[in-house]
Amino acid sequence: MEKFRTIWTTEDRYVEVIDQRKLPHEFVVVKLETYDDAEEAIKDMIVRGAPLIGATAAFGIYLAVREMIEEQLEGSFLDQAFSDLRASRPTAVNLFWALDKMRAALDACEGDFLTCAWDAAKALVEEDVETCRLIGVHGLPLIEEISNKKKGEVVNILTHCNAGMLGCIEWGTITSPIYQAVQKGIKVHVWVDETRPRLQGANLTAYELTRHGVPHTLIVDNQGGHLMQHGMVDMCIVGTDRTTRNGDVANKIGTYLKALAAKDNQVPFYVALPSTTLDMTIRDGLKEIPIEQRNQDEVRYVSGKSKSTGKIEEILICPETTPASNYGFDVTPAHLVSGLITERGFCAASEEGLLSLFPEFKKKVT
Ligand code: MRU
């Protein structure tokens, strides 16, 4: 399987990422040299996906430490960097986890501050790679079981948004079991929801499945229900930006409707997540997870490669004055989730299930 990463460091110890706004038409690399660059990358969705947002924020703190030292700035500069990065996107809890981790590493630092920040950000990235690999190990049997039941026929998997390697560092969460199934010779086919308005499915999931040679078909967001009613989906797997102690799952807008359709058609609906996406301090996802609202022009316009000019263009799809609403995420209640696939194994979407795998969270509750 082809291996590439979504974030890496350069010889001069800066950071580079793929400009995901340009995929699948152009592969453009963006260099991050300041914490502002990292903040903008997260806000503008040059990078996106819960684990990658966290990794970019961690390197953002490293860059802030570097700026502070090189330009002899006050410690308040670093505090500002922490609070600006914290405010860059509200829903994915990995962002706050990564910043807390960087704060702890700097608080505990006994040697050179810059080296401590560098080492902590690098370690966080390596941890995500291994975590996602393990999610694949634990998710693979779910695909394998269906394949065995179907006597080796193609397993049809539906996914929403991009919870692939492009949302992480390597492997991805939902794609890790899929890539490992393909490596094992299991026949799979992925139904890729286009995922309006930012088209993470069409632009990103389809791109990485193509690069990895995984058979897939792009569908409009509303097609999944029909496919499920006609027995054309064996399982759904989605990612998450924040999962509560009770197993409620916030993910890209539209995930909830897929879960409802899956329940109605007895299609298993799995969520793949690293434990860094758990928010064990809250229980009720609907009441307690902040849902990002983004610019209405993301809905009013679509962006893509023009059929006639071959150029990337933005096209208005409604009357000039029509307003749009743009909630970025929704919450799928735990009772609609068939199970959680984590780096420690598979569990029920419930407090009991999560604590069976992560007993260290027993005390962490509001
Ligand atoms: O708005 P995005 O593109 O950051 O939303 C991403 C998702 O909803 C993903 O499914 C989620 O972050 C999991 S990525 C492994």
Side-chain angles (χ1 to χ4, degrees), residues 62-260:
Y62 155 75
L63 292 169
V65 170
R66 182 168 172 166
E67 284 173 270
M68 187 179 76
I69 293 170
E70 286 179 357
E71 291 165 38
Q72 299 180 350
L73 303 169
E74 303 278 309
S76 59
F77 177 80
L78 186 57
D79 294 338
Q80 189 63 47
F82 269 104
S83 73
D84 287 348
L85 285 162
R86 260 194 124 73
S88 56
R89 284 193 79 185
T91 305
V93 80
N94 304 58
L95 172 67
F96 312 110
W97 170 84
L99 290 171
D100 290 345
K101 194 127 176 149
M102 290 302 287
R103 175 69 81 186
L106 293 176
D107 286 349
C109 181
E110 286 179 352
D112 170 43
F113 217 47
L114 190 59
T115 308
C116 287
W118 172 261
D119 289 348
K122 294 271 264 190
L124 192 141
V125 160
E126 293 310 322
E127 195 185 313
D128 185 75
V129 173
E130 178 58 5
T131 296
C132 284
R133 189 189 69 77
L134 288 168
I135 289 171
V137 170
H138 298 299
L140 175 62
L142 299 169
I143 301 178
E144 213 162 15
E145 196 187 321
I146 294 173
S147 168
N148 290 340
K149 266 195 204 143
K150 290 184 81 176
K151 302 201 180 350
E153 263 181 55
V154 176
V155 179
N156 287 297
I157 302 168
L158 183 140
T159 192
H160 190 68
C161 196
N162 173 270
M165 58 147 306
L166 288 164
C168 306
I169 315 296
E170 229 184 79
W171 290 104
T173 63
I174 71 110
T175 45
S176 185
I178 293 173
Y179 294 148
Q180 295 188 37
V182 170
Q183 279 178 343
K184 224 179 155 185
I186 296 170
K187 287 191 204 147
V188 299
H189 163 262
V190 184
W191 295 110
V192 178
D193 278 355
E194 58 177 350
T195 318
R196 278 277 288 149
R198 291 295 294 247
L199 299 172
Q200 288 93 332
N203 293 344
L204 306 177
T205 305
Y207 171 80
E208 67 168 273
L209 293 179
T210 302
R211 266 188 87 154
H212 288 105
V214 180
H216 61 280
T217 306
L218 181 66
I219 54 175
V220 294
D221 291 329
N222 294 327
Q223 192 172 307
H226 172 80
L227 295 176
M228 291 187 222
Q229 286 174 321
H230 289 273
M232 294 161 83
V233 181
D234 296 305
M235 68 196 294
C236 301
I237 321 182
V238 298
T240 166
D241 289 80
R242 197 185 292 222
T243 291
T244 69
R245 198 173 182 92
N246 284 4
D248 292 347
V249 168
N251 192 49
K252 183 53 56 196
I253 193 82
T255 302
Y256 169 55
L257 290 179
K258 294 297 150 348
L260 281 176

Side-chain angles (χ1 to χ4, degrees), residues 335-355:
H335 69 90
L336 296 178
V337 178
S338 313
L340 304 174
I341 310 165
T342 78
E343 72 270 27
R344 295 221 192 134
F346 178 73
C347 72
S350 63
E351 178 167 9
E352 206 184 9
L354 281 167
L355 291 180

